[in-house]
Amino acid sequence: MFSDELEKISWEKTTEAIYSKTEADVLRALGKSHCDVDDFMALISPAAEKYLEPMARLSRKYTEERFGKTISMFIPLYLTNSCTNSCVYCGFHISNPMARTILTAEEIENEYKAIKKLAPFENLLIVTGENPAKAGVPYLAKALDLAKPYFSNLKIEVMPLKTEEYAELVKHGMNGVICFQETYHKERYKIYHPRGMKSKFEWRVNGFDRMGQAGVHSIGMGVLIGLEDWRTDVTMMAYHLRYLQKHYWKTKYSVNFPRMRPAENEGFQPNVIMSDKELAQVTFAMRIFDHDVDISYSTREPAYIRDHMASLGVTTMSAESKTEPGGYYTYPQALEQFHISDDRTAAEVEKALKAVGREPVWKDWDASFDHVSHIRPAAVHG
């Protein structure tokens, strides 16, 4: 399990290593065709800030070699904001005074129909708060069954599950799982997640192993930018990615760098602010580090950044997202988990992407890139 590997990696020493990187380390990393985690640390270090232009060119080159000029489009659907956790930064916090909703089967299907009217979406991400008693595996299985007539590619972003539960949902059409570790800093993790199932660090970080053991086709990872030093956190994620690729090599992987945005419990302020330039830097670094990983930007990010980065490393984007349960049809005025930045319609996003030379692909989240995967299999790494 990755928790055992993580015990061997010092947060403090990793942080020190990142900030001690020199320009020579950066140039050495840029000159390599395949980078290791140490090279990744150089590319995200302050020493690399003056090399963003060559990093951007290299990122574009590797992206187009592997993915062509396609951007895979998806849309999230929140089924419930009911949650038993106490994450201090989240709008779904159990103590946050807000109306709680769990969509019924009829309401779920109405949401699917409403989404299909927005754009020809085939890639759906089903999202829930963490309430296994009321929105557990049977509820998710039903939602997946209802989705199959409308969407060809189904992923979930829910509470971490047991291996056999992931395997059960695969039988109901689930193609992928997205889970954010939030932070890999084990001690600080407890501060942000004081109560609820999410407070169990090992259970969450080892959830990715359980996905791999269950044969999940696609696994998405991410850290929440704003909790701890982003450079150290994304380095830990890079270690985690390499570990998963080694152990579950048939699986495809994606990464995300969500920057913290205001939630309904406005009291929590980010401890760390990542600038737009730093977001670009970590995106370029990740693409240079791993030519095959899918890099996703959500509507958390503003339109101008998404449009700019679409040709420089990003390969997946959401569009016209609603982060409140039933936000497309049933409860359009419900409380959100977080506020989005890019509120353009799907058609407007498509037009903007085409204007920068990208080709939005609406179906088959992962297989949409297969026609340009001649370089090497998606998960073959040294």
Side-chain angles (χ1 to χ4, degrees):
M1 292 292 195
F2 183 68
S3 61
D4 298 324
E5 297 299 315
L6 196 58
E7 289 292 330
K8 304 172 187 176
I9 307 170
S10 166
W11 180 278
E12 290 73 21
K13 290 181 179 178
T14 300
T15 304
E16 183 180 345
I18 295 168
Y19 285 90
S20 65
K21 294 298 182 186
T22 65
E23 290 187 37
D25 296 320
V26 176
L27 291 170
R28 182 166 52 250
L30 289 174
K32 296 173 69 173
S33 58
H34 293 95
C35 293
D36 57 23
V37 177
D38 190 66
D39 298 316
F40 179 73
M41 287 192 280
L43 294 172
I44 61 169
S45 72
E49 290 175 359
K50 62 173 64 176
Y51 293 96
L52 290 188
E53 288 290 339
M55 286 176 65
R57 289 194 295 270
L58 205 51
S59 179
R60 185 201 294 264
K61 172 180 177 289
Y62 289 142
T63 301
E64 293 188 357
E65 285 178 352
R66 173 63 180 87
F67 298 93
K69 296 186 177 183
T70 59
I71 299 289
S72 188
M73 308 300 297
F74 78 97
I75 192 166
L77 172 61
Y78 285 69
L79 301 185
T80 175
N81 57 6
S82 179
C83 192
T84 59
N85 291 320
S86 301
C87 309
V88 298
Y89 50 79
C90 182
F92 290 177
H93 187 297
I94 190 172
S95 301
N96 195 22
M98 62 187 294
R100 304 288 173 161
T101 298
I102 299 178
L103 298 184
T104 65
E106 181 181 358
E107 290 169 340
I108 290 172
E109 193 155 13
N110 285 337
E111 294 298 312
Y112 294 160
K113 293 175 181 176
I115 287 171
K116 296 299 285 189
K117 292 179 181 178
L118 299 178
F121 286 106
E122 290 289 339
N123 305 313
L124 178 72
L125 176 64
I126 293 174
V127 189
T128 70
E130 299 194 12
N131 189 341
K134 296 183 178 180
V137 173
Y139 179 81
L140 294 169
K142 179 65 174 177
L144 289 165
D145 289 340
L146 291 171
K148 283 186 282 190
Y150 299 94
F151 306 95
S152 62
N153 204 346
L154 303 172
K155 297 189 180 184
I156 64 170
E157 185 179 338
V158 303
M159 62 271 178
L161 304 173
K162 300 175 183 177
T163 303
E164 58 268 28
E165 291 174 326
Y166 284 125
E168 174 65 20
L169 293 179
V170 168
K171 295 177 183 176
H172 288 269
M174 182 191 76
N175 187 57
V177 181
I178 293 175
C179 183
F180 294 99
Q181 181 57 32
E182 315 298 15
T183 180
Y184 285 88
H185 196 305
K186 187 175 180 180
E187 288 70 33
R188 295 284 295 171
Y189 181 93
K190 300 171 184 176
I191 296 173
Y192 304 120
H193 312 96
R195 294 182 302 278
M197 278 297 294
K198 198 167 179 178
S199 66
K200 302 180 186 301
F201 180 87
E202 283 81 6
W203 175 252
R204 192 169 189 87
V205 80
N206 290 333
F208 299 88
D209 278 278
R210 298 192 299 274
M211 296 171 205
Q213 292 163 3
V216 172
H217 176 68
S218 175
I219 294 176
M221 317 170 68
V223 292
L224 183 56
I225 305 297
L227 298 182
E228 294 298 315
D229 185 293
W230 66 263
R231 290 183 169 91
T232 310
D233 247 336
V234 297
T235 297
M236 297 301 180
M237 184 170 68
Y239 276 120
H240 199 175
L241 176 62
R242 281 290 184 261
Y243 164 89
L244 292 171
Q245 290 170 330
K246 178 181 177 181
H247 288 83
Y248 314 105
W249 53 270
K250 292 183 179 180
T251 300
K252 294 186 177 183
Y253 296 92
S254 65
V255 294
N256 197 318
F257 316 105
R259 295 189 290 181
M260 189 175 293
R261 294 191 48 73
E264 295 302 326
N265 61 336
E266 298 277 77
F268 187 85
Q269 296 299 321
N271 296 318
V272 178
I273 300 296
M274 173 188 271
S275 68
D276 293 349
K277 183 179 290 187
E278 289 170 337
L279 176 62
Q281 180 181 356
V282 73
T283 303
F284 302 152
M286 180 58 71
R287 173 59 66 225
I288 296 167
F289 171 66
D290 195 298
H291 307 173
D292 302 316
V293 73
D294 189 15
I295 299 178
S296 178
Y297 272 23
S298 76
T299 53
R300 282 176 180 261
E301 298 304 334
Y304 70 90
I305 291 176
R306 295 192 346 135
D307 292 350
H308 184 65
M309 294 302 295
S311 62
L312 296 174
V314 175
T315 49
T316 296
M317 286 188 184
S318 54
E320 206 158 342
S321 304
K322 304 293 184 183
T323 65
E324 61 272 29
Y328 300 102
Y329 181 85
T330 312
Y331 301 110
Q333 303 303 320
L335 292 176
E336 302 173 304
Q337 186 188 29
F338 60 87
H339 303 307
I340 65 172
S341 282
D342 187 350
D343 58 1
R344 294 174 297 178
T345 66
E348 289 170 335
V349 173
E350 179 181 36
K351 182 178 179 181
L353 289 174
K354 288 183 175 180
V356 295
R358 299 299 102 174
E359 185 56 42
V361 177
W362 298 95
K363 66 178 184 177
D364 212 345
W365 208 325
D366 303 298
S368 61
F369 303 132
D370 285 352
H371 68 288
V372 287
S373 62
H374 60 278
I375 305 302
R376 56 193 171 115
V380 176
H381 300 275

